[in-house]
Amino acid sequence: MKSRKVLLFWCVVLGLIVIMTAFAGLFSTHAPNDMDMDKIYVPPGENHLLGTDHLGRDVFSRLLEGGKVTLTVAGVSVFLSLVIGVLYGGISGYVGGYVDVVMMRFLEALITIPSLILILAFQAFMQGGMWSMALIIGITGWLVTARIVRSEFIRLKEAEFVKMAIMFGTPVWKIIFGHMLRNSVPAIFVVTLFNFAGAVFIEVSLSFLGIGVPPAIPSWGNMLYYAQNDILIGAWWIGLFPGIMIFITILSINFIGEALKDPGRRRLNA
């Protein structure tokens, strides 16, 4: 009962963040890029709920718009990595044999390379942008998903209902999608949640370093990037609120993922 309440609480928190950022235009009090040089570094107050930045832009509005960009980049990249991981891991696990050995050796070789190096390598010849960043994170973040899908397919190949389906001549595509992939959904969903948290962290980290989403596009990482100098002059609110939003978002995703993993662990231990 307690774990369900915890799961519900974090689902509500994440849901509120997603809704407020997805519909940023409805909740924003100002246009995110509107500058007012007469209101530079205004602290949080009535007219500007979370204050203004070095260009007089409303921090609250930029926080919501930046969240939309960050979560969109993470969502698109996770969807791309999910598709690649399911295809790669599914083929490896279902076919097995020499094909599985070769595909897994290649995957293990990629896993040994730090993801940041792969991302920087792709960025060397791809133009910077919101969608290119999502593409880069997506094509470098499918490795764990592929391993999970492969292990699930290998386990399900030995299940009685799959053996019976093969015996009765069920088409291969129906066995893969109707039996094996469908029964792998819980494990895939959990790993996708953790990948989403990782994608948020990667986007924020790269934008904070100045090599992620272009500065002209507001994102949580870009807001932290610009806040580095602002904190030194006492404008603490510019970096504090994006940091809190990033922390709560990643924390809620991780708590939800851990809560969804627990039932599976209990079944295995039963």
Side-chain angles (χ1 to χ4, degrees), residues 8-268:
L8 179 61
F9 171 77
W10 289 111
C11 284
V12 170
V13 171
L14 182 61
L16 288 175
I17 293 173
V18 171
I19 290 172
M20 290 190 69
T21 54
F23 300 98
L26 298 177
F27 297 100
S28 298
T29 55
H30 300 76
N33 290 318
D34 278 0
M35 296 180 287
D36 187 348
M37 303 307 290
D38 293 327
K39 295 183 178 179
I40 295 175
Y41 295 128
V42 174
E46 183 177 348
N47 294 328
H48 295 279
L49 186 62
L50 302 182
T52 63
D53 63 7
H54 64 291
L55 294 176
R57 298 173 297 190
D58 184 67
V59 172
F60 177 72
S61 301
R62 289 182 62 79
L63 186 68
L64 297 182
E65 188 66 28
K68 180 194 293 185
V69 172
T70 296
L71 297 182
T72 298
V73 169
V76 172
S77 65
V78 166
F79 176 77
L80 179 59
S81 65
L82 174 64
V83 172
I84 298 174
V86 168
L87 290 175
Y88 193 95
I91 293 172
S92 178
Y94 185 80
V95 176
Y98 183 74
V99 173
D100 178 45
V101 172
V102 173
M103 293 180 73
M104 283 301 102
R105 296 297 82 77
F106 176 71
L107 186 144
E108 289 169 1
L110 291 178
I111 288 179
T112 60
I113 304 173
S115 59
L116 182 59
I117 294 178
L118 292 175
I119 292 172
L120 293 176
F122 278 108
Q123 277 210 333
F125 60 88
M126 293 184 67
Q127 294 182 348
M130 175 179 166
W131 301 115
S132 64
M133 176 57 55
L135 177 63
I136 291 171
I137 298 174
I139 60 180
T140 58
W142 56 270
L143 305 177
V144 176
T145 302
R147 293 186 68 176
I148 295 296
V149 173
R150 171 187 175 268
S151 63
E152 287 293 304
F153 270 45
I154 291 176
R155 178 181 64 85
L156 291 169
K157 277 174 64 176
E158 302 301 321
E160 290 295 329
F161 64 90
V162 173
K163 290 182 177 180
M164 292 293 291
I166 295 174
M167 184 185 303
F168 285 112
T170 306
V172 174
W173 67 267
K174 193 170 184 179
I175 294 174
I176 293 175
F177 290 98
H179 296 296
M180 303 178 75
L181 185 59
R182 186 180 65 181
N183 286 280
S184 302
V185 167
I188 295 173
F189 181 73
V190 171
V191 75
T192 301
L193 275 177
F194 288 118
N195 285 344
F196 185 76
V200 171
F201 181 77
I202 291 174
E203 188 284 319
V204 169
S205 300
L206 293 177
S207 296
F208 177 73
L209 295 174
I211 55 176
V213 175
I217 303 175
S219 75
W220 287 342
N222 282 340
M223 293 182 73
L224 290 180
Y225 174 74
Y226 286 116
Q228 295 179 81
N229 294 328
D230 299 329
I231 293 176
L232 298 177
I233 62 173
W236 50 267
W237 57 89
I238 299 176
L240 176 65
F241 296 114
I244 291 175
M245 288 294 288
I246 295 165
F247 176 76
I248 293 176
T249 301
I250 295 178
L251 189 68
S252 61
I253 295 171
N254 285 328
F255 268 110
I256 294 170
E258 288 294 335
L260 293 176
K261 281 170 60 178
D262 284 341
R265 287 174 179 171
R266 286 196 290 268
R267 284 196 300 267
L268 289 174

